[in-house]
Amino acid sequence: MRIVIAGGHGQIALRLERLLAARGDEVAGIIRAAGQADDLRSAGAEPVVLDLESASVEEVAERLRGADAAVFAAGAGPGSGTARKETVDKGAAVLFANAAVRAGVRRFVVVSSMGADPAHQGDEVFDVYLRAKGEADAHVARQKDLDWTILRPGSLTDDAGTGLVRLEAHTGRGTVPRDDVAAVLAELVDTSATAGLTLELTSGSTPVSVAVKSVAGN
């Protein structure tokens, strides 16, 4: 498969790129800064320099043409203010989804956040973040030309992955290593039977491949 990842230098994205490249997939990661390119090459991914806060739909679609799947893993990051929650966590996600539709890429996986909700109340930065992610997810879910899956991990950690997770429509609050989020994403990209599902993810007791097959109905 050829898979294009938005937010290619993110902590989850770099882990995902290594997993996909190791299994023989062709991976491209969209990054904003050319200085990040070597990190992507080290992960086995082709760096694509493009700023999703200023690019047009057609510019992004051009980078997506010929891909078998697209993964939105970009984020403004914990140190950013409310404005970038709107332009990255929402705006770039909407742009990437629209570009995938234009490019004819059906398989579309989103890294969202547990608690994302377009109706979330509050004006603190994290409130704006959850609302922005929720609005982006709602936009993706309206795209009839996408076979979309939305993944909402719990609190992320840098602990070593265990390969054991809980993946359900509703898991309740919990933590999950970024390693395990990447492993779940790698399985989801391949599992189009999860299209139309919004899934929460925490650490658990079920092997990743079994958890994905279970939600896919296998």
Side-chain angles (χ1 to χ4, degrees):
M1 295 177 72
R2 176 172 171 80
I3 301 154
V4 180
I5 302 171
H9 195 257
Q11 294 185 68
I12 291 172
L14 286 168
R15 288 168 166 84
L16 176 59
E17 287 155 6
R18 291 187 194 100
L19 291 175
L20 295 174
R23 75 183 191 190
D25 288 324
E26 181 184 341
V27 191
I30 296 177
I31 52 177
R32 190 174 66 247
Q36 300 169 336
D38 285 345
D39 289 340
L40 269 74
R41 293 189 186 99
S42 295
E46 166 200 345
V48 177
V49 180
L50 185 68
D51 187 348
L52 294 177
E53 288 181 270
S54 60
S56 68
V57 172
E58 185 53 42
E59 286 172 325
V60 182
E62 187 60 33
R63 303 328 195 267
L64 281 166
R65 286 195 176 92
D68 299 293
V71 179
F72 184 82
S80 59
T82 57
R84 295 200 71 230
K85 306 305 183 193
E86 290 290 330
T87 58
V88 179
D89 293 293
K90 177 184 174 182
V94 169
L95 173 71
F96 200 57
N98 293 346
V101 170
R102 182 170 296 195
V105 180
R106 290 203 64 94
R107 188 71 182 119
F108 194 85
V109 179
V110 177
V111 183
S112 184
S113 174
M114 194 174 291
D117 182 351
H120 183 85
Q121 299 298 306
D123 299 314
E124 297 298 322
V125 173
F126 194 63
D127 296 321
V128 176
Y129 168 75
L130 290 177
R131 192 160 52 245
K133 293 296 277 186
E135 289 170 347
D137 292 352
H139 177 83
V140 169
R142 289 193 294 268
Q143 306 311 305
K144 293 181 173 52
D145 292 325
L146 295 179
D147 295 329
W148 55 267
T149 304
I150 295 168
L151 182 67
R152 293 178 169 171
S155 298
L156 302 171
T157 75
D158 287 324
D159 297 339
T162 65
L164 299 172
V165 299
R166 184 178 178 190
L167 180 69
E168 299 171 14
H170 300 288
T171 62
R173 297 284 176 181
T175 62
V176 61
R178 289 177 172 87
D179 287 350
D180 290 335
V181 178
V184 169
L185 288 168
E187 291 280 342
L188 287 175
V189 164
D190 264 353
T191 312
S192 57
T194 61
L197 299 180
T198 298
L199 301 166
E200 294 183 350
L201 173 68
T202 61
S203 291
S205 58
T206 306
V208 167
S209 61
V210 175
V212 172
K213 286 184 176 72
S214 178
V215 294
N218 298 327

